[in-house]
Amino acid sequence: MKPLHVKLSIALMLLASIVFVAADHIDAPAVQGGASDITDFYAFQGSNTDNIVFVANVQGLLSPGETSNASFDENILVEFNIDSDGDNVEDYVIQAIPRDGQMYFFGPTAPTSLGLNSMVDEQAMKGSVGITPYGTPAVVATQNGLSMFAGPRDDPFFFDFAQYSAILGGTATSFNDPGSDTFAGTNVMSIVVEVPKSLIGGSGTVNTWVESKRKQ
Amino acid sequence: MKLNQIKYLTLALFTAFLLVSCNDDDDMPDPVDFSGTYLQADQMGRPAVNTVFVSSGSKDQFNTTVPSQQNAAFQPMFESNLTALSPAYANPGDMNALGLDAATFSSVLATDVLNVSLDGKTTFYDGTNVLTGRALADDVITVELLLIFGGEDFSENPGLSDDHVDANDKMFLSTFPYLAAPW
């Protein structure tokens, strides 16, 4: 028979694996919790309304202690996809990939290949920004019209995911009022890039999504 | 000079010449290696779509299906999971507040892209604008719960259509990079 603390820790691990699945945090077995696991994606108008801001968060649910040791993986390319003609096929991509403490940005540019395989489009390099170390002020860079950031941030997502899981699991029948933010006090690794609207079609509505891609 | 010294001097000069002539960008730092092919691991458009609507055995497949093919591959699964999850679509003709029935709503969701307006306010839903982007402060989960459980006028299943977590645990910044400093 296993000692009580082992049983408790197994139970806690099981509970954590059930509880911490939301937005896109730990959404699928092949990526869950790793450097390629996208937790969230945002796209919104910048404080300069001529610009759109794209945010990709990876590696969710980092405690402050875990955050101090977290880093981006040089084998993971993060790619923002923008469809400007309504067929849900990318017409522009913005690529971000880390090398030696810098996050490099490429595009917006027409993709050199569509779909699941990508190469870094080095001709389209726009600039780079130093990856902000944990516990220091945000390092930002603006080059060629792009503003760039990469580093740890508070997870902007909020949801009483524990209660949602209890409802799905049949141990509760409704949310609580007030609810409890399952993501309070946790961090993510963020990539933020602000680009002129003129570089991604200029006007109208675009369809956007973000991908993580691993070097083969 | 001895013959060997002449040979070595010539070799050294020649080598120096080669190094200089091959390095005509010598005021540039060492080139950074970005080579290789990168294969898709994860993808995301709207929040929580894969988590809520894709069955457990299909989540990796959903992450590696390009958006233009997602509707054909996943709409039936989305519709059956939506109707299993929510009593708000139990009767024929049931719709959500966007006027979408289960088939139409699941068709919209199965193509997992985030619509973004380049012409004005960007919000998941603010009472007026619908799906014109996703801002940091948008209560996207309550919007999705309302569209899943809330019925035609957001009044159905009130215990399920709002998680009563309405804001982030830190203030966002008004300027770049917008996200709050880490804990």
Side-chain angles (χ1 to χ4, degrees):
Chain A
M1 200 166 152
K2 292 189 172 82
L4 183 62
H5 71 271
V6 174
K7 281 201 250 178
L8 273 175
S9 59
I10 291 169
L12 276 174
M13 281 165 58
L14 283 172
L15 187 67
S17 69
I18 294 165
V19 166
F20 293 137
V21 185
D24 204 75
H25 302 70
I26 316 180
D27 60 306
V31 293
Q32 60 184 357
S36 67
D37 190 3
I38 299 165
T39 66
D40 247 317
F41 170 52
Y42 299 80
F44 54 91
Q45 186 167 262
S47 57
N48 174 347
T49 58
D50 291 335
N51 296 340
I52 290 284
V53 181
F54 294 103
V55 178
N57 293 335
V58 296
Q59 305 179 44
L61 297 155
L62 299 170
S63 69
E66 290 166 334
T67 309
S68 62
N69 295 317
S71 62
F72 293 103
D73 185 338
E74 296 197 355
N75 289 313
I76 300 298
L77 171 69
V78 169
E79 190 169 85
F80 299 98
N81 291 255
I82 300 144
D83 158 40
S84 59
D85 59 9
D87 61 0
N88 297 312
V89 176
E90 60 272 31
D91 298 297
Y92 305 96
V93 292
I94 303 168
Q95 299 177 319
I97 191 164
R99 288 288 179 269
D100 194 23
Q102 296 275 313
M103 186 67 74
Y104 290 83
F105 291 82
F106 306 81
T109 186
T112 54
S113 63
L114 299 175
L116 302 180
N117 288 290
S118 290
M119 298 181 76
V120 176
D121 187 354
E122 298 186 45
Q123 304 298 317
M125 187 192 288
K126 288 291 172 63
S128 68
V129 63
I131 295 168
T132 297
Y134 181 64
T136 68
V139 177
V140 301
T142 300
Q143 290 169 286
N144 295 306
L146 270 63
S147 294
M148 299 166 279
F149 169 84
R153 295 275 96 183
D154 162 58
D155 189 341
F157 187 59
F158 49 93
F159 181 20
D160 191 345
F161 194 75
Q163 190 65 12
Y164 180 72
S165 301
I167 294 167
L168 289 187
T171 59
T173 56
S174 70
F175 286 106
N176 298 317
D177 189 3
S180 171
D181 180 5
T182 308
F183 299 85
T186 68
N187 300 321
V188 290
M189 295 298 283
S190 289
I191 298 169
V192 188
V193 58
E194 179 164 341
V195 306
K197 293 176 180 176
S198 59
L199 297 183
I200 57 170
S203 64
T205 293
V206 293
N207 302 315
T208 65
W209 65 100
V210 67
E211 301 164 345
S212 65
K213 294 179 167 177
R214 181 177 290 279
K215 187 171 183 177
Q216 297 305 291
Chain B
M1 247 186 230
K2 290 185 176 161
L3 185 59
N4 269 350
Q5 284 178 308
I6 293 171
K7 273 181 8 192
Y8 288 131
L9 187 63
T10 309
L11 191 63
L13 282 170
F14 186 63
T15 307
F17 172 75
L18 266 185
L19 284 173
V20 170
S21 62
C22 289
N23 191 14
D24 55 7
D25 58 350
D26 59 359
D27 53 356
M28 297 284 286
D30 288 340
V32 181
D33 180 10
F34 296 108
S35 65
T37 298
Y38 294 77
L39 177 64
Q40 185 144 329
D42 198 358
Q43 72 178 334
M44 176 182 179
R46 302 186 186 100
V49 164
N50 193 354
T51 303
V52 174
F53 292 102
V54 179
S55 303
S56 56
S58 302
K59 292 183 185 293
D60 288 325
Q61 187 197 345
F62 187 76
N63 279 336
T64 52
T65 301
V66 295
S68 57
Q69 294 171 11
Q70 284 176 328
N71 189 62
F74 289 97
Q75 187 278 329
M77 177 191 291
F78 274 51
E79 184 172 350
S80 65
N81 286 343
L82 173 64
T83 52
L85 185 65
S86 174
Y89 297 91
N91 301 311
D94 272 343
M95 295 186 293
N96 65 21
L98 295 177
L100 306 175
D101 63 14
T104 314
F105 186 43
S106 56
S107 177
V108 170
L109 292 171
T111 301
D112 188 21
V113 300
L114 180 67
N115 316 108
V116 181
S117 169
L118 303 183
D119 301 318
K121 184 164 185 186
T122 44
T123 177
F124 208 62
Y125 177 69
D126 65 356
T128 306
N129 301 289
V130 180
L131 284 178
T132 61
R134 180 183 178 191
L136 295 171
D138 288 346
D139 190 356
V140 294
I141 289 297
T142 295
V143 172
E144 292 186 344
L145 292 171
L146 282 166
L147 293 174
I148 293 167
F149 294 104
E152 287 81 355
D153 60 359
F154 287 166
S155 69
E156 297 175 32
N157 307 302
L160 299 174
S161 60
D162 189 346
D163 71 339
H164 302 289
V165 178
D166 304 328
N168 191 37
D169 56 338
K170 277 201 174 190
M171 292 285 288
F172 297 119
L173 316 179
S174 58
T175 56
F176 195 86
Y178 304 102
L179 281 75
W183 290 96

